[in-house]
Amino acid sequence: MTETYMDEAQRTERVATVVERLRRGMDTAVLSFPLTAFDADGRLAPDAYRAYVRGQVAARPGALFPCCGTGEFFSLSEPEYETCVAIAVEEADGALPVVAGAGYGWAQAARFAAHAERAGADALLLMPPYLTEAPQHGIVEHVRRVAASTDLPIIVYQRAQVRIAASSVPDLAAIPNVIGLKDGHCDLDRLQRVRLVAPPEWLFFNGAATAEMQARAYRAIGVPAYSSAVHAFAPEISQTFFAALRADDRTRVEELLREFYLPFVELRDRGTGYAVSLVKAAARLRGIDVGPVRAPLADPEPAHLEALDALLDRGLDLVGATR
């Protein structure tokens, strides 16, 4: 296990600073999970990625989460990963916190953590271990080992086979650089139990595939922050929804859910892997140079692209934006 470079006081100060920056961001805007740009042959396209991330930063999200699920973390080599994180850090230029994805087994996640730290990331989003079913104490030990390898603060992502029990929270909270939880299960009873026993400074946010659909329910249990896949291709729609939700403008929220988000979710559910490939296709329809998805994902079927094109026009029209 790699020894960390900060002493306890320095780490505590760093964690507190990152938590405060992220809390401010989550209070004021949605969280951006950038796509990763590839060329027609599937190679990383750094210049296109930089231009795209610059656009995401200009839209003023609460934070940037490069190289996560939407960014096809699972298909990136370690050098590609570090390049993307470094570009995100450079483009954010201190204006936004940058939280890089990391995952697989703890030894691999530790390597990605080292790349993220070298690239200047502020924190990590620790994604579920690859396929593995594990008991609660095993999940805690996985997090503990990754955390011991880095000085970066860590947000744990519960999704798929990883479900954090309330009984595990004290052990996770005892890890100095664990700062919160992203939830992808939408089990609000279980999440509420976890939140109520967690340290008050912990960060929680809604990480459902199209989080706006569940945003009101999460808000009702004290978790108003969320990531937005729609922000990856239409920040105008995403931000309009966020503002309406925050203002408790129920008419506007219902309109956007009914006229855009619900049809988008139904279209997303028509294809495997569409939680990423449909988002990337929508960005291309707006003229954003992000290229295709990498295998094993595949671009949407022509009929679905046609439906997406019409839906994108509808969504932009609802918020007074254009292509």
Side-chain angles (χ1 to χ4, degrees):
M1 208 177 296
T2 304
E3 294 295 329
T4 57
Y5 299 102
M6 291 184 177
D7 62 30
E8 185 175 350
Q10 290 172 318
R11 175 182 276 191
T12 298
E13 182 179 1
R14 178 177 188 167
V15 167
T17 299
V18 171
V19 167
E20 181 55 30
R21 292 183 67 209
L22 281 167
R23 192 181 308 282
R24 287 199 305 267
M26 290 177 178
D27 285 346
T28 56
V30 298
L31 306 175
S32 167
F33 280 64
L35 299 158
T36 299
F38 303 122
D39 66 18
D41 295 319
R43 294 172 299 210
L44 181 67
D47 291 342
Y49 180 71
R50 182 180 295 279
Y52 169 70
V53 171
R54 187 172 297 156
Q56 288 286 293
V57 171
R60 301 177 67 86
L64 282 179
F65 286 71
C67 303
C68 295
T70 306
E72 299 179 74
F73 163 78
F74 48 84
S75 75
L76 297 175
S77 69
E78 291 179 31
E80 289 173 332
Y81 170 90
E82 184 167 339
T83 294
C84 289
V85 175
I87 288 172
V89 170
E90 290 164 10
E91 292 302 320
D93 194 25
L96 298 172
V98 176
V99 184
Y104 306 118
W106 68 261
Q108 293 161 297
R111 290 203 304 272
F112 279 101
H115 287 289
E117 193 160 4
R118 196 157 46 238
D122 295 293
L124 295 173
L125 178 65
L126 183 59
M127 290 180 280
Y130 175 71
L131 289 179
T132 307
E133 299 281 349
Q136 287 293 305
H137 66 272
I139 293 170
V140 171
E141 182 62 19
H142 169 78
V143 176
R144 184 180 289 117
R145 285 176 176 266
V146 178
S149 77
T150 180
D151 287 318
L152 293 177
I154 292 173
I155 298 171
V156 177
Y157 188 7
Q158 64 167 13
R159 192 182 186 92
Q161 77 278 14
V162 172
R163 290 178 181 268
I164 303 300
S167 59
S168 297
V169 171
D171 290 332
L172 288 173
I175 303 170
N177 50 334
V178 170
I179 62 172
L181 186 73
K182 176 184 179 183
D183 178 64
H185 284 296
C186 303
D187 183 340
L188 298 187
D189 175 74
R190 187 183 183 101
L191 181 61
Q192 178 76 300
R193 297 181 193 197
V194 168
R195 192 187 68 80
L196 290 172
V197 299
E201 67 273 13
W202 261 27
L203 303 168
F204 286 86
F205 68 98
N206 164 10
T210 305
E212 287 87 348
M213 290 294 290
Q214 296 84 15
R216 289 185 293 186
Y218 274 85
R219 192 178 189 87
I221 66 162
V223 183
Y226 62 90
S227 57
S228 175
V230 171
H231 194 279
F233 64 87
E236 307 95 324
I237 299 172
S238 176
Q239 291 174 345
T240 299
F241 181 89
F242 180 89
L245 183 67
R246 192 178 186 193
D248 199 25
D249 184 345
R250 299 182 186 183
T251 300
R252 188 65 157 148
V253 167
E254 287 283 338
E255 178 187 44
L256 288 166
L257 288 175
R258 185 180 300 109
E259 299 294 326
F260 176 76
Y261 284 99
L262 177 58
F264 180 76
V265 167
E266 291 180 337
L267 181 58
R268 184 200 71 202
D269 290 347
R270 293 171 68 183
T272 303
Y274 275 17
V276 176
S277 60
L278 201 69
V279 172
K280 206 164 198 181
R284 292 197 303 272
L285 286 171
R286 294 205 73 185
I288 302 170
D289 183 16
V290 290
V293 291
R294 272 183 174 172
L297 295 178
D299 290 328
E301 298 175 16
H304 297 165
L305 286 174
E306 185 176 339
L308 178 63
D309 192 50
L311 180 58
L312 183 57
D313 278 339
R314 176 59 179 150
L316 293 171
D317 183 61
L318 282 168
V319 301
T322 61
R323 291 289 183 101

